[in-house]
Amino acid sequence: MSTLEIRDLHVNVVQSDENAEPINILKGVDLTIKSGETHAIMGPNGSGKSTLSYAIAGHPKYEITRGTITLDGENVLDMTVDERARAGLFLAMQYPVEVPGVSMSNFLRTAASAVRGEAPKLRTWVKEVKEAMGDLDIDAQFGERSVNEGFSGGEKKRHEILQLGLLKPKFAILDETDSGLDVDALRVVSEGVNRYAEREHGGILLITHYTRILRYIHPQFVHVFVNGRVVESGGPELADELEENGYVRFTQAVGA
């Protein structure tokens, strides 16, 4: 059993203009996720949901000004980005980046070697990748293409979940994984997330605007995120309320 714990987290976003003051985005986030739990964070645009995901992953643009993030009692904020990945944290980005000149097959094996502490045996690895790609309806030829280069939005998201299945982290942070997906791709990607949760008993932090992905991935906990913090938590029924009534009740309560 592993635990990812966030306490009183305050985060500023550093501006590209060196003379500009950082913008305070997160204003005291408290959240605890345990192995086998799926938590959905829902909130309007600009509420800080993606900032939370990047702060956990260690993006240098996001400055922690107060609070803690711990993984099984270890201080995540003292870890570099690669150390966080090796410790068991995984971020599926809303907009996966392209890496020209690096093939998907080399990228995946290098990442797995770093996380596992040794290179997987080639014969076993080839079989593992083939099965994982088949589960996600990914053409084997994609393995020789550069990472995400020329991929459609749906193809990029499938490859994010391919990484999730192969790297087997303790916790997966999925930042709007459903954005840009058609109905078929949404189903395939969601099934991949559910396979990871079942096989690895991993914890999931699912960030989304909409409830459509929650038809496939069923969270035990739903949190409403407004103005840089969690303003209400509940079960799946809270997502149903948001689908029906939107965020007005919550934004008015905090003056957002």
Side-chain angles (χ1 to χ4, degrees):
M1 176 71 72
S2 290
T3 302
L4 177 64
E5 191 166 23
I6 301 166
R7 285 289 171 267
D8 194 30
L9 188 67
H10 291 68
V11 176
N12 288 347
V13 176
V14 179
Q15 302 300 293
S16 55
D17 183 351
E18 295 181 358
N19 297 319
E21 289 293 323
I23 300 174
N24 180 223
I25 303 295
L26 299 189
K27 304 171 182 178
V29 177
D30 292 302
L31 192 64
T32 300
I33 307 170
K34 297 183 179 180
S35 297
E37 295 180 350
T38 297
H39 293 245
I41 286 187
M42 305 183 69
N45 286 325
S47 58
K49 304 184 302 297
S50 292
T51 295
L52 176 61
S53 69
Y54 285 123
I56 295 171
H59 195 297
K61 181 181 175 181
Y62 298 87
E63 176 189 13
I64 313 299
T65 59
R66 197 166 85 197
T68 61
I69 304 174
T70 58
L71 174 58
D72 295 335
E74 296 293 324
N75 186 358
V76 170
L77 301 181
D78 284 342
M79 302 178 186
T80 61
V81 173
D82 59 304
E83 287 171 340
R84 297 181 197 207
R86 288 197 295 270
L89 296 178
F90 175 89
L91 171 62
M93 294 181 286
Q94 181 179 0
Y95 303 109
V97 297
E98 297 182 359
V99 188
V102 178
S103 70
M104 281 298 306
S105 58
N106 285 338
F107 170 76
L108 290 170
R109 192 159 190 259
T110 300
S113 299
V115 169
R116 299 179 187 185
E118 61 179 7
K121 293 181 179 179
L122 189 57
R123 182 179 299 179
T124 304
W125 175 248
V126 169
K127 180 181 178 182
E128 190 177 348
V129 173
K130 183 178 180 180
E131 289 179 354
M133 292 179 77
D135 287 339
L136 291 163
D137 292 339
I138 297 174
D139 192 308
Q141 294 181 353
F142 274 87
E144 301 312 312
R145 292 176 59 177
S146 293
V147 176
N148 288 327
E149 190 174 32
F151 290 14
S152 69
E155 289 165 346
K156 289 180 180 180
K157 296 301 178 71
R158 290 183 195 223
H159 280 84
E160 291 281 277
I161 303 308
L162 175 64
Q163 295 171 45
L164 173 64
L166 292 171
L167 299 180
K168 303 175 174 58
K170 293 178 181 178
F171 292 96
I173 299 101
L174 310 179
D175 185 15
E176 299 195 32
T177 296
D178 52 339
S179 66
L181 297 182
D182 61 28
V183 174
D184 291 329
L186 177 63
R187 175 185 53 78
V188 171
V189 164
S190 297
E191 288 173 352
V193 174
N194 289 333
R195 272 193 302 274
Y196 155 75
E198 181 179 352
R199 293 175 180 176
E200 308 305 325
H201 197 58
I204 297 172
L205 179 59
L206 176 65
I207 296 170
T208 184
H209 286 295
Y210 309 109
T211 59
R212 65 176 193 149
I213 195 171
L214 304 186
R215 300 170 191 164
Y216 302 95
I217 302 172
H218 305 293
Q220 297 97 340
F221 307 93
V222 175
H223 310 278
V224 181
F225 212 76
V226 176
N227 198 25
R229 62 185 185 274
V230 175
V231 296
E232 186 158 336
S233 298
E237 71 283 349
L238 185 52
D240 295 334
E241 178 188 343
L242 294 173
E243 175 74 5
E244 184 173 349
N245 302 317
Y247 298 107
V248 175
R249 174 167 76 87
F250 306 100
T251 56
Q252 288 181 340
V254 299

